[in-house]
Amino acid sequence: METSKIFIGYLIYLPIAITLTYFVSRTLFKNGKTFMIDIFKGKENIALATNRLFEVGFYLLNVGWALLILKIDSYRFNDTYQNLVEILSFKIGGFSMYLGLMLFLNMYLFFRGRKKSKQTTQVTSIPRP
């Protein structure tokens, strides 16, 4: 019975983790497209390609992490649905916090890239005597 409840836990955890990753990624990179176009000074083809590469990397990192923390230790699992719910809430909550950190890291990188782009524009636009 223990193995089947652990398997049920996997069947619940994986779709939730993948759906959360998809939702955060779609939101971040749909809105990040504006930052990328600004960073690359209107060169839309380069901005969109770079944004797509960041998105693929985001998926790989986050789905990879979700799979790495997938294991439910059988020695901690005492074969009750209450225990299963508690383990899943810990895993999904921890993964959600990780996704939040990744979201803020990406936002920081977008803002930093935008700031650097603006500084480069200002330095190159200063007339020389």
Side-chain angles (χ1 to χ4, degrees), residues 7 17 29 31 39 42 44-45 56 60-61 69-70 77 87-88 90 92 96-97 108-109 112-113 115 119:
F7 185 70
F29 292 102
N31 296 309
I39 290 167
E44 194 167 332
N45 58 342
V56 170
L60 290 172
L61 280 171
I69 65 170
L70 172 68
F77 188 70
I87 288 170
L88 286 174
F90 183 80
I92 294 167
S96 296
M97 291 172 61
Y108 169 76
L109 293 173
R112 185 171 175 215
K115 183 179 175 183
Q119 286 175 348

Side-chain angles (χ1 to χ4, degrees), residues 35-79:
F35 286 98
M36 290 302 228
I37 291 170
D38 189 38
I39 290 167
F40 286 100
K41 297 173 181 54
K43 297 177 184 171
E44 194 167 332
N45 58 342
I46 294 173
L48 295 178
T50 304
N51 195 48
R52 185 68 182 148
L53 290 171
F54 273 117
E55 184 177 9
V56 170
F58 187 85
Y59 279 123
L60 290 172
L61 280 171
N62 294 306
V63 171
W65 183 251
L67 292 171
L68 277 174
I69 65 170
L70 172 68
K71 183 178 181 182
I72 296 174
D73 295 322
S74 59
Y75 67 87
R76 287 186 177 171
F77 188 70
N78 65 13
D79 199 28

Side-chain angles (χ1 to χ4, degrees), residues 1-3 5-6 8-9 72 74 76-88:
M1 187 68 156
E2 177 181 307
T3 304
K5 285 184 183 167
I6 289 174
I8 290 169
I72 296 174
S74 59
R76 287 186 177 171
F77 188 70
N78 65 13
D79 199 28
T80 65
Y81 285 109
Q82 176 186 351
N83 188 236
L84 178 62
V85 169
E86 290 169 357
I87 288 170
L88 286 174

